[in-house]
């Protein structure tokens, strides 16, 4: 049994939100954190018929997020088919306590990335990427405050991933300068936030390269068909009932979500 995974599973199953995580349950290392994450994800998979892993999410790709969680670098979590929805989905807000929404560049891998080929970069990882996917990630905390997490506990809680909504995939992204490609988030028809790919470690491809380098350290690698959402490229929006959200990636597409 994994006591840390037990703790987060209980919270995700509707347990009351505590002020923080008991000290003895905070993983000592990132390796310990990802082992707890694997146990937690297995439990989520076992409780939903037909649910399967479909890729990865990357958190803490901005300085603001790293400072909040006292993280030295990014953290990854798993994307699951049962927590993935198409463009235009309406979700019940009550199912997502303390929820925030993040416009993100996502990608579908066209080829498996060799796990022992050295350090990948934003440039060298590009040849393994197939489609770009406009996306909205849903994150949520079951603790009283975001500051109750550290990098290790964040990873153990599957990087606070609650789900994501994906737009239409496009293969016509290679000519775009993702470093400065603009993104806006509108709420109920009004533009609320704006940003660009530069907010994601300088480029979403840099985040993808980080993941390709990090996964082999924990016994995984990016596989053909995996989808990866790379981190928020605007500020984070604290969402609520009755909101309709639209993330506009310009000529790369758009994706929408509503909370009932």
């Amino acid at each position: 049994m994994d006591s840390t995974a037990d703790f987060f599973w209980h919270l995700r199953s509707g347990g009351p939100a505590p002020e923080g995580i008991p000290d003895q349950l905070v993983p000592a290392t990132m390796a310990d954190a990802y082992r707890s994450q694997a146990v937690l994800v297995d439990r989520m998979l076992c409780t939903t018929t037909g649910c399967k892993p479909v890729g990865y999410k990357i958190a803490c790709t901005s300085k603001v997020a790293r400072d909040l969680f006292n993280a030295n670098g990014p953290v990854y979590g798993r994307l699951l088919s049962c927590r993935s929805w198409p463009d235009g989905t309406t979700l019940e807000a009550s199912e997502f306590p303390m929820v925030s929404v993040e416009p993100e560049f996502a990608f579908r891998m066209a080829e498996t990335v060799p796990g022992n080929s050295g350090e990948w970069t934003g440039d060298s990882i590009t040849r393994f990427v197939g489609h770009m996917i406009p996306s909205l990630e849903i994150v949520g905390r079951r603790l009283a405050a975001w500051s109750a997490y550290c990098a290790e506990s964040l990873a153990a809680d599957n990087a606070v991933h609650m789900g994501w909504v994906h737009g239409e995939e496009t293969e016509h992204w290679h000519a775009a300068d993702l470093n400065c490609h603009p993104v806006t988030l509108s709420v109920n028809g009004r533009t609320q936030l704006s940003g660009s790919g530069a907010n994601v470690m300088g480029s979403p491809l840099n985040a993808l390269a980080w993941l390709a380098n990090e996964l082999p350290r924990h016994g995984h690698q990016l596989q053909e068909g995996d989808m990866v959402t790379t981190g928020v490229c605007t500020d984070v929006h604290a969402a609520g009932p009755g909101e309709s959200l639209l993330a506009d990636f310009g000529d790369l597409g758009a994706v929408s979500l509503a909370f009932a």
Side-chain angles (χ1 to χ4, degrees):
M1 301 291 288
D2 186 301
S3 297
T4 300
D6 288 343
F7 176 79
F8 286 119
W9 175 249
H10 176 68
L11 293 185
R12 284 174 175 259
S13 300
E19 289 297 316
I21 304 162
D23 290 343
Q24 70 272 20
L25 298 183
V26 177
T29 67
M30 290 303 294
D32 292 337
Y34 287 125
R35 281 191 286 269
S36 293
Q37 179 190 113
V39 175
L40 176 64
V41 169
D42 281 345
R43 291 180 184 175
M44 289 190 281
L45 294 173
C46 289
T47 55
T48 305
T49 302
C51 191
K52 61 183 181 179
V54 294
Y56 299 87
K57 66 147 288 181
I58 312 176
C60 294
T61 54
S62 70
K63 184 179 185 302
V64 171
R66 289 193 294 274
D67 289 346
L68 176 62
F69 298 116
N70 194 28
N72 294 323
V75 171
Y76 71 79
R78 300 306 303 267
L79 300 180
L80 307 178
S81 61
C82 51
R83 308 298 295 175
S84 302
W85 301 282
D87 177 34
T89 290
T90 296
L91 301 172
E92 289 293 333
S94 60
E95 296 180 10
F96 300 90
M98 305 177 191
V99 66
S100 295
V101 175
E102 305 180 347
E104 304 192 11
F105 291 86
F107 300 96
R108 183 187 292 274
M109 304 307 295
E111 300 179 39
T112 296
V113 181
N116 56 354
S117 298
E119 294 294 310
W120 298 104
T121 67
D123 289 334
S124 64
I125 200 69
T126 303
R127 68 186 178 93
F128 298 98
V129 181
H131 293 76
M132 177 265 168
I133 313 168
S135 65
L136 285 165
E137 192 199 1
I138 304 167
V139 297
R141 58 181 167 86
R142 305 281 182 166
L143 301 175
W146 288 110
S147 57
Y149 284 96
C150 63
E152 290 79 9
S153 57
L154 184 75
D157 194 18
N158 200 33
V160 295
H161 177 68
M162 295 294 168
W164 73 303
V165 178
H166 44 88
E168 184 176 351
E169 300 184 16
T170 177
E171 60 183 4
H172 303 296
W173 61 270
H174 292 274
D177 185 355
L178 298 187
N179 300 25
C180 58
H181 192 84
V183 179
T184 60
L185 179 70
S186 298
V187 180
N188 293 337
R190 294 187 177 184
T191 300
Q192 296 290 323
L193 299 172
S194 60
S196 73
N199 292 327
V200 188
M201 299 177 67
S203 167
L205 293 172
N206 292 340
L208 190 62
W210 170 86
L211 182 65
N213 292 324
E214 185 69 12
L215 286 177
R217 299 186 176 108
H218 304 284
H220 306 289
Q221 67 184 121
L222 275 177
Q223 302 281 342
E224 177 184 352
D226 277 346
M227 293 179 283
V228 181
T229 188
T230 56
V232 63
C233 49
T234 65
D235 286 338
V236 176
H237 173 70
E243 289 189 345
S244 296
L245 300 97
L246 174 71
D248 188 350
F249 292 74
D251 56 6
L252 296 182
V255 59
S256 63
L257 160 67
F259 284 106

